[in-house]
PDB file of all heavy atoms in Angstrom:
ATOM      1  N   VAL A   6       7.379  10.371   8.184  1.00 92.00           N
ATOM      2  CA  VAL A   6       7.349   9.054   7.540  1.00 92.00           C
ATOM      3  C   VAL A   6       8.069   9.080   6.195  1.00 92.00           C
ATOM      4  O   VAL A   6       7.839   9.966   5.372  1.00 92.00           O
ATOM      5  CB  VAL A   6       5.890   8.585   7.346  1.00 92.00           C
ATOM      6  CG1 VAL A   6       5.841   7.275   6.575  1.00 92.00           C
ATOM      7  CG2 VAL A   6       5.205   8.427   8.699  1.00 92.00           C
ATOM      8  N   SER A   7       8.950   8.106   5.986  1.00 92.00           N
ATOM      9  CA  SER A   7       9.702   8.020   4.735  1.00 92.00           C
ATOM     10  C   SER A   7       9.016   7.147   3.692  1.00 92.00           C
ATOM     11  O   SER A   7       9.179   7.350   2.494  1.00 92.00           O
ATOM     12  CB  SER A   7      11.103   7.450   5.006  1.00 92.00           C
ATOM     13  OG  SER A   7      11.796   8.204   5.951  1.00 92.00           O
ATOM     14  N   LEU A   8       8.240   6.171   4.157  1.00 94.00           N
ATOM     15  CA  LEU A   8       7.711   5.154   3.253  1.00 94.00           C
ATOM     16  C   LEU A   8       6.429   4.558   3.805  1.00 94.00           C
ATOM     17  O   LEU A   8       6.305   4.371   5.021  1.00 94.00           O
ATOM     18  CB  LEU A   8       8.764   4.046   3.092  1.00 94.00           C
ATOM     19  CG  LEU A   8       8.441   2.818   2.248  1.00 94.00           C
ATOM     20  CD1 LEU A   8       8.343   3.201   0.778  1.00 94.00           C
ATOM     21  CD2 LEU A   8       9.505   1.748   2.431  1.00 94.00           C
ATOM     22  N   VAL A   9       5.473   4.255   2.916  1.00 96.00           N
ATOM     23  CA  VAL A   9       4.244   3.559   3.296  1.00 96.00           C
ATOM     24  C   VAL A   9       4.236   2.193   2.620  1.00 96.00           C
ATOM     25  O   VAL A   9       4.319   2.100   1.391  1.00 96.00           O
ATOM     26  CB  VAL A   9       2.985   4.359   2.889  1.00 96.00           C
ATOM     27  CG1 VAL A   9       1.717   3.557   3.201  1.00 96.00           C
ATOM     28  CG2 VAL A   9       2.947   5.704   3.603  1.00 96.00           C
ATOM     29  N   LEU A  10       4.172   1.139   3.428  1.00 97.00           N
ATOM     30  CA  LEU A  10       4.134  -0.231   2.914  1.00 97.00           C
ATOM     31  C   LEU A  10       2.731  -0.784   3.104  1.00 97.00           C
ATOM     32  O   LEU A  10       2.224  -0.861   4.225  1.00 97.00           O
ATOM     33  CB  LEU A  10       5.145  -1.108   3.663  1.00 97.00           C
ATOM     34  CG  LEU A  10       5.107  -2.614   3.359  1.00 97.00           C
ATOM     35  CD1 LEU A  10       5.474  -2.895   1.906  1.00 97.00           C
ATOM     36  CD2 LEU A  10       6.042  -3.377   4.312  1.00 97.00           C
ATOM     37  N   SER A  11       2.091  -1.177   2.002  1.00 96.00           N
ATOM     38  CA  SER A  11       0.748  -1.769   2.054  1.00 96.00           C
ATOM     39  C   SER A  11       0.861  -3.277   1.871  1.00 96.00           C
ATOM     40  O   SER A  11       1.320  -3.751   0.832  1.00 96.00           O
ATOM     41  CB  SER A  11      -0.144  -1.184   0.949  1.00 96.00           C
ATOM     42  OG  SER A  11      -0.296   0.203   1.128  1.00 96.00           O
ATOM     43  N   SER A  12       0.468  -4.020   2.913  1.00 95.00           N
ATOM     44  CA  SER A  12       0.488  -5.482   2.825  1.00 95.00           C
ATOM     45  C   SER A  12      -0.877  -5.967   2.369  1.00 95.00           C
ATOM     46  O   SER A  12      -1.862  -5.782   3.073  1.00 95.00           O
ATOM     47  CB  SER A  12       0.830  -6.079   4.193  1.00 95.00           C
ATOM     48  OG  SER A  12       2.127  -5.708   4.575  1.00 95.00           O
ATOM     49  N   TRP A  13      -0.906  -6.572   1.203  1.00 92.00           N
ATOM     50  CA  TRP A  13      -2.090  -6.965   0.446  1.00 92.00           C
ATOM     51  C   TRP A  13      -2.665  -5.741  -0.305  1.00 92.00           C
ATOM     52  O   TRP A  13      -2.745  -4.645   0.236  1.00 92.00           O
ATOM     53  CB  TRP A  13      -3.183  -7.591   1.313  1.00 92.00           C
ATOM     54  CG  TRP A  13      -2.876  -8.968   1.804  1.00 92.00           C
ATOM     55  CD1 TRP A  13      -3.055 -10.144   1.134  1.00 92.00           C
ATOM     56  CD2 TRP A  13      -2.346  -9.332   3.092  1.00 92.00           C
ATOM     57  NE1 TRP A  13      -2.671 -11.198   1.920  1.00 92.00           N
ATOM     58  CE2 TRP A  13      -2.242 -10.735   3.128  1.00 92.00           C
ATOM     59  CE3 TRP A  13      -1.964  -8.589   4.220  1.00 92.00           C
ATOM     60  CZ2 TRP A  13      -1.751 -11.424   4.228  1.00 92.00           C
ATOM     61  CZ3 TRP A  13      -1.466  -9.270   5.322  1.00 92.00           C
ATOM     62  CH2 TRP A  13      -1.368 -10.670   5.321  1.00 92.00           C
ATOM     63  N   ALA A  14      -3.026  -5.978  -1.545  1.00 90.00           N
ATOM     64  CA  ALA A  14      -3.564  -4.903  -2.390  1.00 90.00           C
ATOM     65  C   ALA A  14      -4.902  -4.403  -1.873  1.00 90.00           C
ATOM     66  O   ALA A  14      -5.202  -3.207  -1.940  1.00 90.00           O
ATOM     67  CB  ALA A  14      -3.710  -5.400  -3.835  1.00 90.00           C
ATOM     68  N   ILE A  15      -5.708  -5.332  -1.377  1.00 89.00           N
ATOM     69  CA  ILE A  15      -7.029  -4.980  -0.841  1.00 89.00           C
ATOM     70  C   ILE A  15      -7.143  -5.576   0.566  1.00 89.00           C
ATOM     71  O   ILE A  15      -6.904  -6.774   0.743  1.00 89.00           O
ATOM     72  CB  ILE A  15      -8.162  -5.530  -1.738  1.00 89.00           C
ATOM     73  CG1 ILE A  15      -8.086  -4.875  -3.130  1.00 89.00           C
ATOM     74  CG2 ILE A  15      -9.517  -5.284  -1.119  1.00 89.00           C
ATOM     75  CD1 ILE A  15      -9.076  -5.448  -4.126  1.00 89.00           C
ATOM     76  N   PRO A  16      -7.435  -4.724   1.556  1.00 92.00           N
ATOM     77  CA  PRO A  16      -7.837  -3.320   1.477  1.00 92.00           C
ATOM     78  C   PRO A  16      -6.700  -2.300   1.609  1.00 92.00           C
ATOM     79  O   PRO A  16      -6.910  -1.114   1.398  1.00 92.00           O
ATOM     80  CB  PRO A  16      -8.792  -3.175   2.659  1.00 92.00           C
ATOM     81  CG  PRO A  16      -8.234  -4.117   3.678  1.00 92.00           C
ATOM     82  CD  PRO A  16      -7.676  -5.280   2.912  1.00 92.00           C
ATOM     83  N   ALA A  17      -5.476  -2.753   1.978  1.00 94.00           N
ATOM     84  CA  ALA A  17      -4.399  -1.808   2.297  1.00 94.00           C
ATOM     85  C   ALA A  17      -4.073  -0.869   1.140  1.00 94.00           C
ATOM     86  O   ALA A  17      -3.829   0.323   1.337  1.00 94.00           O
ATOM     87  CB  ALA A  17      -3.149  -2.571   2.729  1.00 94.00           C
ATOM     88  N   GLY A  18      -4.055  -1.417  -0.086  1.00 94.00           N
ATOM     89  CA  GLY A  18      -3.737  -0.597  -1.256  1.00 94.00           C
ATOM     90  C   GLY A  18      -4.753   0.503  -1.502  1.00 94.00           C
ATOM     91  O   GLY A  18      -4.410   1.564  -2.048  1.00 94.00           O
ATOM     92  N   ILE A  19      -6.001   0.250  -1.118  1.00 94.00           N
ATOM     93  CA  ILE A  19      -7.041   1.285  -1.255  1.00 94.00           C
ATOM     94  C   ILE A  19      -6.848   2.350  -0.178  1.00 94.00           C
ATOM     95  O   ILE A  19      -6.993   3.549  -0.440  1.00 94.00           O
ATOM     96  CB  ILE A  19      -8.448   0.665  -1.143  1.00 94.00           C
ATOM     97  CG1 ILE A  19      -8.650  -0.420  -2.206  1.00 94.00           C
ATOM     98  CG2 ILE A  19      -9.518   1.746  -1.274  1.00 94.00           C
ATOM     99  CD1 ILE A  19      -9.980  -1.149  -2.108  1.00 94.00           C
ATOM    100  N   ILE A  20      -6.509   1.928   1.033  1.00 95.00           N
ATOM    101  CA  ILE A  20      -6.301   2.865   2.136  1.00 95.00           C
ATOM    102  C   ILE A  20      -5.181   3.855   1.819  1.00 95.00           C
ATOM    103  O   ILE A  20      -5.272   5.044   2.117  1.00 95.00           O
ATOM    104  CB  ILE A  20      -6.013   2.090   3.440  1.00 95.00           C
ATOM    105  CG1 ILE A  20      -7.264   1.319   3.890  1.00 95.00           C
ATOM    106  CG2 ILE A  20      -5.541   3.031   4.555  1.00 95.00           C
ATOM    107  CD1 ILE A  20      -7.037   0.375   5.054  1.00 95.00           C
ATOM    108  N   SER A  21      -4.120   3.372   1.180  1.00 94.00           N
ATOM    109  CA  SER A  21      -2.958   4.229   0.897  1.00 94.00           C
ATOM    110  C   SER A  21      -3.033   4.918  -0.462  1.00 94.00           C
ATOM    111  O   SER A  21      -2.103   5.627  -0.852  1.00 94.00           O
ATOM    112  CB  SER A  21      -1.677   3.391   0.964  1.00 94.00           C
ATOM    113  OG  SER A  21      -1.652   2.422  -0.082  1.00 94.00           O
ATOM    114  N   TYR A  22      -4.143   4.742  -1.173  1.00 92.00           N
ATOM    115  CA  TYR A  22      -4.219   5.121  -2.589  1.00 92.00           C
ATOM    116  C   TYR A  22      -3.835   6.583  -2.859  1.00 92.00           C
ATOM    117  O   TYR A  22      -3.049   6.876  -3.747  1.00 92.00           O
ATOM    118  CB  TYR A  22      -5.639   4.847  -3.123  1.00 92.00           C
ATOM    119  CG  TYR A  22      -5.763   5.019  -4.620  1.00 92.00           C
ATOM    120  CD1 TYR A  22      -5.300   4.029  -5.480  1.00 92.00           C
ATOM    121  CD2 TYR A  22      -6.330   6.167  -5.161  1.00 92.00           C
ATOM    122  CE1 TYR A  22      -5.411   4.168  -6.854  1.00 92.00           C
ATOM    123  CE2 TYR A  22      -6.431   6.319  -6.537  1.00 92.00           C
ATOM    124  CZ  TYR A  22      -5.973   5.316  -7.373  1.00 92.00           C
ATOM    125  OH  TYR A  22      -6.063   5.468  -8.729  1.00 92.00           O
ATOM    126  N   ARG A  23      -4.364   7.528  -2.118  1.00 87.00           N
ATOM    127  CA  ARG A  23      -4.146   8.942  -2.408  1.00 87.00           C
ATOM    128  C   ARG A  23      -3.035   9.580  -1.567  1.00 87.00           C
ATOM    129  O   ARG A  23      -2.860  10.800  -1.602  1.00 87.00           O
ATOM    130  CB  ARG A  23      -5.453   9.719  -2.205  1.00 87.00           C
ATOM    131  CG  ARG A  23      -6.547   9.326  -3.199  1.00 87.00           C
ATOM    132  CD  ARG A  23      -7.713  10.289  -3.167  1.00 87.00           C
ATOM    133  NE  ARG A  23      -8.737   9.920  -4.111  1.00 87.00           N
ATOM    134  CZ  ARG A  23      -8.718  10.197  -5.417  1.00 87.00           C
ATOM    135  NH1 ARG A  23      -7.702  10.867  -5.921  1.00 87.00           N
ATOM    136  NH2 ARG A  23      -9.713   9.819  -6.206  1.00 87.00           N
ATOM    137  N   ILE A  24      -2.293   8.769  -0.853  1.00 88.00           N
ATOM    138  CA  ILE A  24      -1.229   9.310  -0.002  1.00 88.00           C
ATOM    139  C   ILE A  24      -0.043   9.746  -0.856  1.00 88.00           C
ATOM    140  O   ILE A  24       0.439   8.991  -1.700  1.00 88.00           O
ATOM    141  CB  ILE A  24      -0.786   8.251   1.031  1.00 88.00           C
ATOM    142  CG1 ILE A  24      -1.952   7.891   1.944  1.00 88.00           C
ATOM    143  CG2 ILE A  24       0.391   8.763   1.849  1.00 88.00           C
ATOM    144  CD1 ILE A  24      -2.580   9.047   2.673  1.00 88.00           C
ATOM    145  N   LYS A  25       0.431  10.952  -0.623  1.00 86.00           N
ATOM    146  CA  LYS A  25       1.565  11.480  -1.395  1.00 86.00           C
ATOM    147  C   LYS A  25       2.871  11.196  -0.657  1.00 86.00           C
ATOM    148  O   LYS A  25       3.541  12.095  -0.151  1.00 86.00           O
ATOM    149  CB  LYS A  25       1.383  12.973  -1.649  1.00 86.00           C
ATOM    150  CG  LYS A  25       0.159  13.291  -2.502  1.00 86.00           C
ATOM    151  CD  LYS A  25       0.094  14.752  -2.879  1.00 86.00           C
ATOM    152  CE  LYS A  25      -1.172  15.056  -3.678  1.00 86.00           C
ATOM    153  NZ  LYS A  25      -1.274  14.262  -4.902  1.00 86.00           N
ATOM    154  N   LYS A  26       3.190   9.929  -0.560  1.00 89.00           N
ATOM    155  CA  LYS A  26       4.436   9.429   0.011  1.00 89.00           C
ATOM    156  C   LYS A  26       4.953   8.317  -0.890  1.00 89.00           C
ATOM    157  O   LYS A  26       4.212   7.776  -1.721  1.00 89.00           O
ATOM    158  CB  LYS A  26       4.209   8.869   1.423  1.00 89.00           C
ATOM    159  CG  LYS A  26       3.900   9.905   2.492  1.00 89.00           C
ATOM    160  CD  LYS A  26       5.174  10.628   2.927  1.00 89.00           C
ATOM    161  CE  LYS A  26       4.867  11.644   4.003  1.00 89.00           C
ATOM    162  NZ  LYS A  26       6.089  12.386   4.412  1.00 89.00           N
ATOM    163  N   ARG A  27       6.223   7.981  -0.732  1.00 92.00           N
ATOM    164  CA  ARG A  27       6.732   6.820  -1.449  1.00 92.00           C
ATOM    165  C   ARG A  27       5.957   5.595  -0.973  1.00 92.00           C
ATOM    166  O   ARG A  27       5.838   5.347   0.235  1.00 92.00           O
ATOM    167  CB  ARG A  27       8.225   6.645  -1.199  1.00 92.00           C
ATOM    168  CG  ARG A  27       8.833   5.480  -1.964  1.00 92.00           C
ATOM    169  CD  ARG A  27      10.343   5.467  -1.815  1.00 92.00           C
ATOM    170  NE  ARG A  27      10.916   4.330  -2.510  1.00 92.00           N
ATOM    171  CZ  ARG A  27      11.164   4.286  -3.814  1.00 92.00           C
ATOM    172  NH1 ARG A  27      10.899   5.354  -4.558  1.00 92.00           N
ATOM    173  NH2 ARG A  27      11.692   3.223  -4.382  1.00 92.00           N
ATOM    174  N   LYS A  28       5.439   4.817  -1.924  1.00 95.00           N
ATOM    175  CA  LYS A  28       4.559   3.702  -1.583  1.00 95.00           C
ATOM    176  C   LYS A  28       5.039   2.394  -2.200  1.00 95.00           C
ATOM    177  O   LYS A  28       5.400   2.347  -3.374  1.00 95.00           O
ATOM    178  CB  LYS A  28       3.127   3.993  -2.071  1.00 95.00           C
ATOM    179  CG  LYS A  28       2.419   5.088  -1.292  1.00 95.00           C
ATOM    180  CD  LYS A  28       1.017   5.332  -1.806  1.00 95.00           C
ATOM    181  CE  LYS A  28       1.042   6.036  -3.152  1.00 95.00           C
ATOM    182  NZ  LYS A  28      -0.302   6.477  -3.562  1.00 95.00           N
ATOM    183  N   ILE A  29       4.986   1.352  -1.385  1.00 96.00           N
ATOM    184  CA  ILE A  29       5.298   0.000  -1.847  1.00 96.00           C
ATOM    185  C   ILE A  29       4.129  -0.903  -1.492  1.00 96.00           C
ATOM    186  O   ILE A  29       3.600  -0.845  -0.377  1.00 96.00           O
ATOM    187  CB  ILE A  29       6.582  -0.532  -1.185  1.00 96.00           C
ATOM    188  CG1 ILE A  29       7.779   0.320  -1.605  1.00 96.00           C
ATOM    189  CG2 ILE A  29       6.814  -1.987  -1.559  1.00 96.00           C
ATOM    190  CD1 ILE A  29       9.073  -0.094  -0.948  1.00 96.00           C
ATOM    191  N   LEU A  30       3.717  -1.720  -2.442  1.00 96.00           N
ATOM    192  CA  LEU A  30       2.636  -2.675  -2.187  1.00 96.00           C
ATOM    193  C   LEU A  30       3.196  -4.089  -2.230  1.00 96.00           C
ATOM    194  O   LEU A  30       3.904  -4.457  -3.163  1.00 96.00           O
ATOM    195  CB  LEU A  30       1.517  -2.520  -3.217  1.00 96.00           C
ATOM    196  CG  LEU A  30       0.249  -3.347  -2.910  1.00 96.00           C
ATOM    197  CD1 LEU A  30      -0.998  -2.553  -3.261  1.00 96.00           C
ATOM    198  CD2 LEU A  30       0.247  -4.670  -3.658  1.00 96.00           C
ATOM    199  N   TRP A  31       2.859  -4.866  -1.202  1.00 96.00           N
ATOM    200  CA  TRP A  31       3.290  -6.266  -1.104  1.00 96.00           C
ATOM    201  C   TRP A  31       2.077  -7.148  -1.369  1.00 96.00           C
ATOM    202  O   TRP A  31       1.234  -7.348  -0.502  1.00 96.00           O
ATOM    203  CB  TRP A  31       3.853  -6.519   0.287  1.00 96.00           C
ATOM    204  CG  TRP A  31       4.725  -7.732   0.413  1.00 96.00           C
ATOM    205  CD1 TRP A  31       5.050  -8.624  -0.562  1.00 96.00           C
ATOM    206  CD2 TRP A  31       5.394  -8.171   1.598  1.00 96.00           C
ATOM    207  NE1 TRP A  31       5.880  -9.597  -0.057  1.00 96.00           N
ATOM    208  CE2 TRP A  31       6.115  -9.348   1.262  1.00 96.00           C
ATOM    209  CE3 TRP A  31       5.453  -7.685   2.913  1.00 96.00           C
ATOM    210  CZ2 TRP A  31       6.870 -10.039   2.199  1.00 96.00           C
ATOM    211  CZ3 TRP A  31       6.214  -8.385   3.851  1.00 96.00           C
ATOM    212  CH2 TRP A  31       6.918  -9.541   3.495  1.00 96.00           C
ATOM    213  N   ALA A  32       1.956  -7.633  -2.597  1.00 93.00           N
ATOM    214  CA  ALA A  32       0.848  -8.531  -2.969  1.00 93.00           C
ATOM    215  C   ALA A  32       1.157  -9.921  -2.420  1.00 93.00           C
ATOM    216  O   ALA A  32       2.250 -10.446  -2.632  1.00 93.00           O
ATOM    217  CB  ALA A  32       0.687  -8.572  -4.482  1.00 93.00           C
ATOM    218  N   LEU A  33       0.162 -10.537  -1.757  1.00 89.00           N
ATOM    219  CA  LEU A  33       0.435 -11.758  -1.001  1.00 89.00           C
ATOM    220  C   LEU A  33      -0.508 -12.907  -1.331  1.00 89.00           C
ATOM    221  O   LEU A  33      -0.776 -13.770  -0.495  1.00 89.00           O
ATOM    222  CB  LEU A  33       0.405 -11.446   0.501  1.00 89.00           C
ATOM    223  CG  LEU A  33       1.537 -10.509   0.946  1.00 89.00           C
ATOM    224  CD1 LEU A  33       1.242  -9.878   2.292  1.00 89.00           C
ATOM    225  CD2 LEU A  33       2.856 -11.254   0.983  1.00 89.00           C
ATOM    226  N   GLY A  34      -1.018 -12.911  -2.556  1.00 80.00           N
ATOM    227  CA  GLY A  34      -1.768 -14.088  -3.010  1.00 80.00           C
ATOM    228  C   GLY A  34      -3.258 -13.956  -2.947  1.00 80.00           C
ATOM    229  O   GLY A  34      -3.933 -13.907  -3.980  1.00 80.00           O
ATOM    230  N   SER A  35      -3.819 -13.913  -1.732  1.00 77.00           N
ATOM    231  CA  SER A  35      -5.268 -13.891  -1.601  1.00 77.00           C
ATOM    232  C   SER A  35      -5.867 -12.641  -2.235  1.00 77.00           C
ATOM    233  O   SER A  35      -6.982 -12.686  -2.770  1.00 77.00           O
ATOM    234  CB  SER A  35      -5.666 -13.965  -0.115  1.00 77.00           C
ATOM    235  OG  SER A  35      -5.083 -12.904   0.613  1.00 77.00           O
ATOM    236  N   ASP A  36      -5.149 -11.519  -2.188  1.00 80.00           N
ATOM    237  CA  ASP A  36      -5.671 -10.296  -2.781  1.00 80.00           C
ATOM    238  C   ASP A  36      -5.794 -10.414  -4.300  1.00 80.00           C
ATOM    239  O   ASP A  36      -6.865 -10.199  -4.874  1.00 80.00           O
ATOM    240  CB  ASP A  36      -4.806  -9.084  -2.408  1.00 80.00           C
ATOM    241  CG  ASP A  36      -3.310  -9.339  -2.574  1.00 80.00           C
ATOM    242  OD1 ASP A  36      -2.923 -10.410  -3.073  1.00 80.00           O
ATOM    243  OD2 ASP A  36      -2.526  -8.445  -2.186  1.00 80.00           O
TER     244      ASP A  36
END
């Protein structure tokens, strides 16, 4: 895997929190 994309900060951002990969978070309003 080259990249982890988290859609919505919560809960996806928590799930990917400690992953040692390049990470992008897509905040989408409701979060």
Side-chain angles (χ1 to χ4, degrees):
V6 175
S7 304
L8 177 69
V9 176
L10 173 64
S11 298
S12 296
W13 288 277
I15 297 174
I19 302 176
I20 292 172
S21 66
Y22 188 78
R23 295 192 180 279
I24 298 304
K25 297 187 183 302
K26 290 283 181 182
R27 182 173 178 82
K28 290 180 288 189
I29 296 177
L30 188 141
W31 199 359
L33 294 162
S35 57
D36 46 6

